[in-house]
Amino acid sequence: MTPQYYNENAEELAKQYLSKSFEEVHQSWSQFLPAIIENPNARILDLGAGAGRDAKHIAELAEKQHKTDNNIQVYAVEPATELANLGAEVTKDLKVKWLNDALPSLSVITKQEVSFDLILLSAVWMHIPQSDRARAIRKLANLLKPGGKLVISLRHGQTEEDFKQRKMHIVCTDELKQLATDVGLFTKLETQKEADKLGRSHVSWQTLVLQMPDDGTGAFPFIRHVAINDGKAATHKLALLRVLLRIADGHPGAVLRRESSPFGDRVILPAGLVALYWCHQYKDLIDTHQLFQSPNKSPNMGFMKPNGWHKLTHRSASDYRIGNLFTGEDAIALHKTISAAVSNIKTMPCRYITFPNQEANSSAKVFDVASKTVKAKDSIFLDLQTLEQWGEFSLPESTWLAFNRYACWIEPVLVSEWVKTMASYSGNSQYSSPEKQFHLYQALNWLEPKRTTTEVRNRFEQLKQQLPKSEQIQCVWSAKSLQQKYDIDHSMPFARWPNNDLWNLLPTDSQINNQKSDRLPTEHKLKTAKARIQQWWQTAWLNDDISSASAEEINNKHEVNEAPIGYLISNKLFTPPKTLEQTSSVTAESKRFFAEANIALPGLNSDNTSIDDLFEALVMQRGRLKEMQQLREW
C-alpha cells in the first residue's frame, strides 16, 4: 500500500468509514471479542486503523467493562498520516496509542516488544502484494500471544481503478490459510462471502479468524521459536523436533517414565527410539533424493559412517520400524548407525537448542541424552526393550504434551521451515526458487503406513481352515459368526490415526464395518466387545498351538508391496525364529504383537505381555483420540 491516495482523500474516506458502525462491519466474528475484553490486561492491535472507528469501539468496550480498573491497551496503526490524524481525533479521550507503521516490515510496532491478544486487519490484506504476504503473516504470528487471535477481512472484487490508484491486489482465502498454517496458526473461523456494507454490488467480503494455539505452558511458543526464529547451521534442530513430534503423536507408549527436576517435570524416552526415527526421516532425504542437509559442500552428515549408514543404502526408510528384525551384516550396520545417530543428536541439536535467553552450556537443558555404549550384534529386533539399550532421552513434559496435542498444527511449521532451510543451501541450489520447492515438500513426506489388512485377512483364512466348526470366529462388534463375507476393521480408524498394528486389526461383519466406517467406537461399545477382541488376539497371534502362515504361504497370497512392513527383509517376507531373547514358548507373532502395542498405546511397560493391560490402554487411546481430534463416535 502507498499512503498517497489515502492522504489525498482522507476526509472523504473517513466519512465513508465512519458511516457504518463496528457492529455492522464486524458482526461475523464479534462473538470472540467479549472473552478478550474480559481480560483487564489485554493488548489489542488495530492494523490499518483508518479513521479510528474500530479502535474507538474496542476502547469504549474496555472502559465500560473495567471502568477505573481498565488496563487494556489498544494500539492503532495507520500508514496514511492524514487519515491517522483524523483517527486520533476520533479516539482522543480514550486509551488508544496511534503509531505510523505498515506491513510487511512493521518495524515500529515490533520495536515496542509487546504481543497481542487480538490483531485486527480490516480491509488491509488486499493492499499487500503476493510477494510480501509470507513475510507479513510471519510478522503477525510473531506478534500474537499464545491463544491470540488474528482477524483478517478479505475484499473480493477489485476494479482496475482499485488496482492502479489504491494499489490493491487479488486475494485468496486458501492462500492465506496455507500461509497461516506455515507459521503455526490454525483457522478458527472462515465466513462465507458477504455483501458489501456500502452497497457496492461488485464487492464482497470474507473474514478469517486465525489463532495461535495455547497449551497453557508456553511450550508451543517455544517450539515455534526453535523452528522459525532459532539459528540453523544444519537441519538437525528441525529433525529432532519432528522426530519427537512423530513419537508423541503415534507412540504414547514410548514414555519410559516421568521424573521431576529443578526445572520442571520431564518425560524419558528410549534414546535408541529417537535415533531410529532420526534415521527414518533422513534416510530418503539423503540416499534417495540426495538433498544436502547443511551448507557444507560434502553431503555427509556426522551420523553417516562407512561401517553403518553407508552399508544400509539398499534399505528404505520403512524398514526402520518397530516390529522389524534385522539379521547378519545389516543388523551389525544398524547397531552402528543407531549408535552414531545417538551421538550426533547428543552433540548437535541437544547441545544447541536452549530456552530463550539461556546459554548453551546451562544446566537447564531442553533436551538431554544419557547415552550408553551398545555392542553390535548380528541380530536386532526393533522393540522398546532393544532401543532402551542406547540409554535415555529426556525432554520437558510441557514440550512433550504440546507435541502430543498439537501435532497437526506444529508439523506443517516444521516442514515449511525445513524446506526453506534446504532451499538456502548451495548444494540444493536447483530448488532455490519457490516454484521448484514442491520437490522438497515431497521429499519430506513422512512415509505413513499404507492402509492394508492383507496379512490379517490371510491369518483369518488360515484359522478358518484350522479351527473346528464349533469354534467359528465371531465379529468382534456384533458377535455374528463370520462365514463368507467379512471385513478386517481398524478398531481405531485408520483415516484418523494411521496404524496397521496387529492389535488394531479385528475381524468384523461387512455390514457392521460399513456402519462403523471411519468413526471411533464409543467407550461402551469397545468395553462390550472386550471378550471377543481379546479372544481374537489370543487365537490369531498369541496361541502357540496354532501354527501361523509361513513366509512362503503369505508370499503366494499377496504382493510384496502390500506386505506388512515389519516383515520386509531384503524385499522378501521373513518370519523371525520363535526364540528371540525370550523363552521358547513365545512366538515371533506374539513378540511382534506386544512390541507394536506397547509403544503405540499409552501406559504400557515395554515388557508388557498382558492382554488385559493392553485392552485398558486401548480404551485410554480411544479417549485420547476423541479428545484431541474430536472424532465422530459410533
Side-chain angles (χ1 to χ4, degrees):
M1 170 185 174
T2 55
Q4 182 180 348
Y5 175 88
Y6 291 85
N7 281 324
E8 291 174 353
N9 300 276
E11 290 195 10
E12 181 183 345
L13 290 169
K15 184 178 178 180
Q16 185 185 85
Y17 297 156
L18 296 171
S19 69
K20 300 296 175 184
S21 69
F22 179 95
E23 290 90 344
E24 286 178 283
V25 176
H26 298 296
Q27 184 272 334
S28 64
W29 67 269
S30 59
Q31 68 268 26
F32 297 113
L33 195 54
I36 296 168
I37 298 295
E38 274 183 20
N39 175 9
N41 299 305
R43 202 175 287 121
I44 296 166
L45 173 62
D46 183 6
L47 193 54
R53 176 198 61 210
D54 300 340
K56 178 176 186 286
H57 176 83
I58 293 169
E60 287 175 342
L61 278 181
E63 283 199 354
K64 182 178 179 181
Q65 176 87 17
H66 301 290
K67 300 181 173 60
T68 56
D69 295 327
N70 178 34
N71 292 317
I72 292 179
Q73 295 175 286
V74 179
Y75 288 73
V77 171
E78 174 55 54
T81 308
E82 296 300 322
L83 203 51
N85 290 339
L86 294 172
E89 185 66 24
V90 168
T91 61
K92 64 180 179 181
D93 297 323
L94 297 165
K95 286 187 177 179
V96 178
K97 183 176 183 178
W98 283 83
L99 296 169
N100 185 279
D101 204 357
L103 284 166
S105 63
L106 284 182
S107 55
V108 176
I109 199 70
T110 301
K111 287 177 182 176
Q112 307 295 310
E113 297 292 342
V114 293
S115 54
F116 297 91
D117 299 271
L118 171 67
I119 300 177
L120 173 61
L121 273 76
S122 180
V124 171
W125 194 250
M126 70 278 192
H127 288 296
I128 302 171
Q130 190 173 17
S131 58
D132 287 338
R133 287 174 184 170
R135 183 186 177 200
I137 203 73
R138 183 183 294 246
K139 280 282 186 179
L140 293 166
N142 285 340
L143 289 170
L144 277 177
K145 291 181 182 178
K149 293 179 175 61
L150 170 61
V151 179
I152 302 180
S153 65
L154 302 174
R155 171 176 160 153
H156 301 283
Q158 280 68 280
T159 64
E160 284 301 317
E161 183 182 356
D162 293 329
F163 291 141
K164 291 177 181 177
Q165 290 191 3
R166 302 176 73 168
K167 306 299 180 186
M168 291 185 184
H169 305 272
I170 298 292
V171 296
C172 172
T173 311
D174 289 341
E175 176 203 43
L176 178 53
K177 285 163 65 177
Q178 183 58 55
L179 290 173
T181 298
D182 288 345
V183 294
L185 304 178
F186 68 95
T187 303
K188 185 78 173 176
L189 174 72
E190 177 184 353
T191 69
Q192 298 297 314
K193 289 183 179 179
E194 299 171 345
D196 180 55
K197 302 301 180 184
L198 295 173
R200 293 168 293 191
S201 60
H202 65 284
V203 176
S204 62
W205 295 87
Q206 202 171 2
T207 300
L208 280 184
V209 177
L210 307 169
Q211 184 166 325
M212 176 71 73
D214 177 18
D215 61 353
T217 67
F220 189 91
F222 160 71
I223 294 167
R224 274 193 80 255
H225 167 73
V226 174
I228 295 177
N229 301 325
D230 217 0
K232 292 180 280 290
T235 60
H236 292 114
K237 290 181 181 180
L238 295 165
L240 181 58
L241 293 183
R242 195 178 187 207
V243 161
L244 295 172
L245 178 142
R246 280 286 169 165
I247 295 173
D249 187 42
H251 295 313
V255 177
L256 300 178
R257 67 183 185 281
R258 284 171 165 81
E259 60 183 34
S260 59
S261 81
F263 307 100
D265 291 347
R266 295 182 72 82
V267 167
I268 313 300
L269 306 171
L273 176 64
V274 178
L276 181 71
Y277 269 50
W278 177 272
C279 296
H280 173 106
Q281 71 173 348
Y282 271 124
K283 180 69 174 165
D284 287 346
L285 275 177
I286 294 171
D287 286 357
T288 303
H289 298 281
Q290 298 179 334
L291 291 168
F292 285 70
Q293 299 303 309
S294 74
N296 302 327
K297 292 183 178 179
S298 169
N300 221 52
M301 300 283 279
F303 54 88
M304 297 167 61
K305 305 297 184 184
N307 61 356
W309 182 279
H310 292 299
K311 286 196 172 183
L312 292 169
T313 53
H314 59 286
R315 291 289 191 162
S316 68
S318 57
D319 289 335
Y320 298 163
R321 179 189 183 273
I322 295 297
N324 207 349
L325 173 73
F326 283 67
T327 58
E329 291 297 319
D330 280 8
I332 294 171
L334 182 59
H335 269 99
K336 294 180 177 179
T337 299
I338 292 176
S339 294
V342 169
S343 176
N344 194 238
I345 291 167
K346 181 176 182 176
T347 57
M348 292 303 293
C350 286
R351 180 181 176 187
Y352 293 108
I353 293 177
T354 61
F355 291 111
N357 305 315
Q358 174 195 306
E359 296 296 326
N361 60 0
S362 168
S363 58
K365 291 185 178 179
V366 181
F367 305 120
D368 196 19
V369 178
S371 56
K372 295 180 180 177
T373 302
V374 179
K375 185 179 179 182
K377 300 175 184 176
D378 61 2
S379 175
I380 178 172
F381 180 70
L382 296 174
D383 64 359
L384 276 179
Q385 288 177 294
T386 299
L387 296 169
E388 287 173 32
Q389 296 178 86
W390 277 272
E392 296 179 347
F393 182 100
S394 76
L395 70 157
E397 184 180 44
S398 59
T399 306
W400 170 261
L401 291 174
F403 283 134
N404 184 291
R405 295 168 180 168
Y406 302 113
C408 62
W409 297 325
I410 297 172
E411 185 159 37
V413 180
L414 299 179
V415 170
S416 175
E417 286 302 310
W418 201 329
V419 165
K420 291 174 188 171
T421 303
M422 286 194 295
S424 70
Y425 297 153
S426 59
N428 304 323
S429 58
Q430 67 270 40
Y431 304 113
S432 59
S433 60
E435 63 270 14
K436 293 186 178 179
Q437 288 172 18
F438 178 68
H439 175 78
L440 303 183
Y441 279 100
Q442 284 187 312
L444 277 168
N445 281 340
W446 191 280
L447 292 179
E448 298 281 9
K450 292 182 179 179
R451 186 188 187 105
T452 178
T453 60
T454 308
E455 179 186 19
V456 181
R457 182 173 285 274
N458 288 338
R459 183 64 173 142
F460 181 97
E461 291 295 330
Q462 184 191 36
L463 288 170
K464 197 163 67 169
Q465 295 172 15
Q466 293 180 350
L467 290 170
K469 290 189 177 180
S470 59
E471 297 180 24
Q472 290 295 326
I473 302 171
Q474 293 181 323
C475 167
V476 296
W477 303 120
S478 68
K480 289 183 181 179
S481 180
L482 299 178
Q483 299 292 333
Q484 300 300 322
K485 199 171 181 183
Y486 68 92
D487 287 334
I488 301 298
D489 174 43
H490 289 77
S491 66
M492 300 295 102
F494 187 92
R496 304 302 180 190
W497 192 57
N499 182 295
N500 289 319
D501 291 352
L502 299 180
W503 59 267
N504 195 37
L505 291 164
L506 306 172
T508 315
D509 176 78
S510 295
Q511 188 175 358
I512 297 293
N513 191 41
N514 287 336
Q515 291 174 10
K516 177 175 179 282
S517 186
D518 62 355
R519 290 183 291 173
L520 191 68
T522 63
E523 182 172 338
H524 175 74
K525 194 176 290 287
L526 191 59
K527 287 183 173 178
T528 302
K530 176 180 178 180
R532 292 185 293 273
I533 291 173
Q534 290 187 322
Q535 179 62 38
W536 166 254
W537 288 343
Q538 195 74 49
T539 303
W541 313 115
L542 307 179
N543 279 355
D544 194 34
D545 56 343
I546 301 177
S547 64
S548 61
S550 68
E552 184 179 359
E553 288 173 324
I554 296 176
N555 260 325
N556 288 337
K557 289 185 178 181
H558 59 76
E559 300 289 335
V560 169
N561 63 7
E562 291 181 331
I565 292 172
Y567 284 106
L568 278 173
I569 306 293
S570 300
N571 292 323
K572 295 181 181 178
L573 283 170
F574 180 83
T575 304
K578 283 192 174 183
T579 55
L580 290 171
E581 302 170 8
Q582 291 193 359
T583 63
S584 58
S585 63
V586 179
T587 65
E589 288 76 15
S590 171
K591 187 171 174 68
R592 175 185 165 197
F593 177 87
F594 282 111
E596 291 177 343
N598 292 345
I599 192 172
L601 298 173
L604 296 175
N605 295 324
S606 60
D607 58 355
N608 169 63
T609 55
S610 164
I611 58 173
D612 284 330
D613 290 348
L614 195 162
F615 188 85
E616 289 306 309
L618 175 57
V619 174
M620 286 176 61
Q621 178 65 5
R622 191 217 76 87
R624 289 177 73 251
L625 290 175
K626 171 63 180 170
E627 177 187 348
M628 291 188 299
Q629 299 195 26
Q630 299 296 304
L631 301 185
R632 294 182 306 144
E633 289 187 296
W634 173 69

